[in-house]
Amino acid sequence: MTLDISSAPIASDTTDHAPPGPCARIRWAQDLSASLVVFLIAVPFSLGIALATGAPLTAGLAAAAVGGIVVGLFGGTTLMVSGPSAALTVITAGLIAQYGWQATCTITLAAGLLQLLLGARRVARTALAVSPAIVHGMLAGVGLTIAIAQLHVVLGGSPQSSALADLLALPGQLAGPQPPALLVGAVTVAVLLGWPRLGRLPGRAGTSGARLAKVPGPLVAVALATALALALDLRLAHIGLPAWQPHALVPALPHGPLLGVLAAVLTVTAVAGVESLLSAVAVDRMSRRTGDLDRELRGQGLANLLSGLIGGLPVAGGAVRSTANVQAGAQSRWASVLHGVWVLAAALALTGGLRLIPLAALAALVLVVGLQMVSFAHIRNVHRHREFPVYLTTVVAVVTAGVLWGVAIGAGTAVLLALYRLTRAHVDVETGPDGSVTVHTHGPLTFTAVPRLSRAFAGIPAGAAVTVVHDGSFLDHAAYETLHSWRSGHQGAGGRVSMVTRRQDDEVLDPDGTVRAGSSPGPHRCRAWTPWVGHHCVEQQEDPHGRLLDGVRGFQLHTAPLIRPELARLAREGQTPSQLFLTCADSRMVTSMITNSGPGDLFTVRNVGNLVPAPFEPGAADDSVAAAVQYAVEALEVRSITVCGHSGCGAMKALLDGVHERPGPPTALTRWLRNGRGSLDRLRRAPAEFADRPVVDLAEQLCITNVVQQLDQLLANPAVERRVEEGTLRLVGMYFDFATAQAYVLDRAAGTFSPVEARAAAGTQACAEAGARAPAGSQPDGMSAERVNEDGRVPAGEGEEGPRLAA
């Protein structure tokens, strides 16, 4: 496709309406392509969810069509795709078993009305107060329940009435499976798990496999399983897809206790709403957009209202479909709407073909989806935040007692854990060689910590010099009285007591227990990488030069003593950097921070747009960049050159706006921007891409394409070309996204940018231990200074995996 870049406006993240011109055509093409991808995933997924709930299979397609069209038009999250929810499978199955299908439609309708009311009251943000450990535990419990039930179908049997009954019946089912159903199910699972790995095959097979992997795996798995069943003439149960009869799906009032019906409506409302809102937040983060959660809740309510009216399953925002939508390059809400249109067309026109699908294939698909709801990434995350007991309790409770009781038990566990931590405090006593005593307190000091404090104070000799260091957590009246009384008695006996809180600015407590104003020495105690506007501990000055001097004073007071030995060594030995880092002059690009480097590590060249002027370019070349490159390559003998672009680059936006081609006498800026014309040409011919996500807009695509182009223009430098051919110099492309603080590195072979994983490098722990053993204010040769607290100490626990920021 040929693009007229000079006239293409920059896409906006905040509008769904594409402007006229090439960008509009690109958006519609990407939305159409993404809608087809999501449609191919949604059809088998919706049928599988309907099968697992025991609802008519047309109900799954109806919910997918309504979710795609209605929420796509009226929802608040642009790229989210809604439809039948796996998290609601167990709940819906229970409602159908208790009240019947038509009454379940009424409950879905009522839940939609309640969601509309909650959205109108603007309470969507309140749902996000639910602990992530409870939400992930609920999803994992539901996934396990679904997987256990569908395993019976894969083995040729039928699921029982509950997860416990399914578990008890599973040994007997395993002892006598039906080979045809097991074969079809095994083929489906094998394709689902192996299809995404086709792109990882070596050589040309990997290239061909990557193309094939773009076809949705669920569609391929169900299609192959169906073809196998037909080819072998296997006698299997197939899906019973009735003709579309809306008049037979009219909702009916549920029969039973009113409180039970209200509980069912509240359960569907809560689970569908929370899942939709959490999915909306995740999709917004993935696509780097900002949605309206209250509008999203209203859109979900309207979809559930209509789905209940026409006989569809409950609707919620889905992570699987939404992730596929974003990764397929969707640009606006029309991708979701079109996907719903395709599902509706399939429900009306393709019923004959859908009846050929074996039940075992759909059951295997839902089984894999259920197991994937148990995310090990979520488990690691909740474990890192010490919330694993809440997660595990919720999972077990959902499997054994159902979703409603499981969430309630998980919430109760979270409250008990919070109370336990609130009353849990540690008191450590250290005696120095000079007889001085330091009492460290960790955690909130409440009345429950008074016995520990009393025991610790009882062992301190009379007349000793004592420092009580509190970590700044909560201090209630009972603990304060205990501290005050003991301090008065110890001072009366001739001892000295200092009370300090270990906060960011080392505030000191006065003898009356209040924080002494202005106790922080120096102009400010903020970290070196904190922007000036974030230095709330100092009075903000209108004079920028005054702020600059405050920063210099802070450096002289806190940082200079720590790095003076290292700088003195560099002054004696001269610079020997191993890297040339060429990046943009943008004030947000802090190279030492994003590369974790220190003095002497990088030879840095910065200019507008991180451009490398091509030699012999008339009227556009700039010798300063070529001179710096030549000096770094020939004199300093650097071993790598990194060209680093960044998001929101003003130079790239100016290129798209055609600033460099404006009529009239050229300015210095327009002459310089002409060095980016090669990047515009490459954008038309072969734009760069990300490996794990689509580009946000045309400006971002030009930013990463520009990095590739500048690497090529570097090779036009004879010194660079010679060293690269010798194998002694490596060229690296990098891109930094400000919004997510994520760095991406160019894979030259694949031509894509992949995110840099946050993992500890080999040897980091040894360096951290060496730094911890070094005397205060010194560093071993060749090491960058560790990030330090305001008192000059390395923060506990940051030796191996914590941040190491250059002073």
Side-chain angles (χ1 to χ4, degrees), residues 152-524:
H152 283 274
V153 181
V154 172
L155 295 172
S158 301
Q160 306 299 313
S161 58
S162 66
L164 287 178
D166 283 327
L167 284 172
L168 293 175
L170 193 58
Q173 189 71 62
L174 289 170
Q178 294 184 12
L182 183 60
L183 174 62
V184 169
V187 169
T188 306
V189 172
V191 174
L192 283 171
L193 298 181
W195 195 255
R197 294 176 170 81
L198 291 178
R200 305 177 190 175
L201 297 174
R204 293 184 177 179
T207 304
S208 302
R211 296 193 189 100
L212 287 175
K214 293 181 180 179
V215 181
L219 178 70
V220 177
V222 172
L224 288 178
T226 303
L228 177 66
L230 293 174
L232 299 180
D233 194 20
L234 299 177
R235 297 192 175 185
L236 293 170
H238 294 77
I239 65 174
L241 196 64
W244 189 268
Q245 297 176 343
H247 63 277
L249 301 174
V250 176
L253 291 176
H255 296 285
L258 180 60
L259 288 179
V261 175
L262 290 177
V265 172
L266 291 174
T267 302
V268 174
T269 303
V271 175
V274 171
E275 184 189 9
S276 298
L277 294 175
L278 291 176
S279 298
V281 172
V283 171
D284 279 339
R285 290 175 181 172
M286 191 186 312
S287 60
R288 293 185 295 173
R289 303 185 183 214
T290 302
D292 185 340
L293 293 183
D294 292 302
R295 179 182 173 184
E296 180 62 36
L297 188 57
R298 293 194 296 270
Q300 296 290 339
L302 183 59
N304 275 306
L305 190 154
L306 294 178
S307 183
L309 280 175
I310 67 172
L313 291 171
V315 172
V320 176
R321 294 179 293 265
S322 301
T323 301
N325 193 41
V326 174
Q327 292 178 347
Q331 297 296 307
S332 71
R333 62 179 67 248
W334 290 107
S336 175
V337 175
L338 289 173
H339 131 271
V341 173
W342 310 143
V343 173
L344 182 60
L348 296 175
L350 301 179
T351 55
L354 296 178
R355 289 191 182 97
L356 299 176
I357 300 175
L359 285 179
L362 286 181
L365 169 64
V366 179
L367 183 148
V368 172
V369 171
L371 292 178
Q372 289 174 344
M373 292 172 70
V374 185
S375 170
F376 289 100
H378 291 159
I379 294 175
R380 288 193 298 268
N381 191 36
V382 297
H383 186 270
R384 184 167 62 248
H385 290 89
R386 299 186 302 162
E387 297 285 339
F388 185 73
V390 177
Y391 176 90
L392 183 60
T393 302
T394 306
V395 172
V396 174
V398 168
V399 172
T400 56
V403 175
L404 187 61
W405 279 106
V407 171
I409 293 172
T413 305
V415 171
L416 292 176
L417 186 62
L419 290 174
Y420 171 78
R421 290 171 178 169
L422 185 63
T423 59
R424 187 70 176 175
H426 298 277
V427 181
D428 300 320
V429 180
E430 297 178 358
T431 302
D434 56 352
S436 62
V437 178
T438 302
V439 180
H440 294 277
T441 66
H442 309 276
L445 291 180
T446 63
F447 63 93
T448 60
V450 169
R452 297 190 189 91
L453 281 174
S454 300
R455 285 195 296 270
F457 291 151
I460 298 176
V466 182
T467 300
V468 179
V469 183
H470 183 42
D471 64 0
S473 299
F474 177 73
L475 180 72
D476 77 350
H477 183 61
Y480 168 77
E481 286 292 342
T482 302
L483 286 169
H484 184 78
S485 300
W486 171 81
R487 180 180 58 203
S488 298
H490 191 76
Q491 289 175 338
R496 292 185 294 112
V497 179
S498 299
M499 304 189 72
V500 180
T501 60
R502 190 170 56 251
R503 297 179 182 173
Q504 187 178 17
D505 50 1
D506 279 351
E507 293 168 337
V508 181
L509 291 177
D510 271 334
D512 62 352
T514 60
V515 177
R516 184 186 307 163
S519 61
S520 172
H524 63 75

Side-chain angles (χ1 to χ4, degrees), residues 736-750:
F736 187 76
D737 181 67
F738 290 128
T740 59
Q742 176 65 59
Y744 296 82
V745 174
L746 172 65
D747 182 347
R748 297 299 296 271

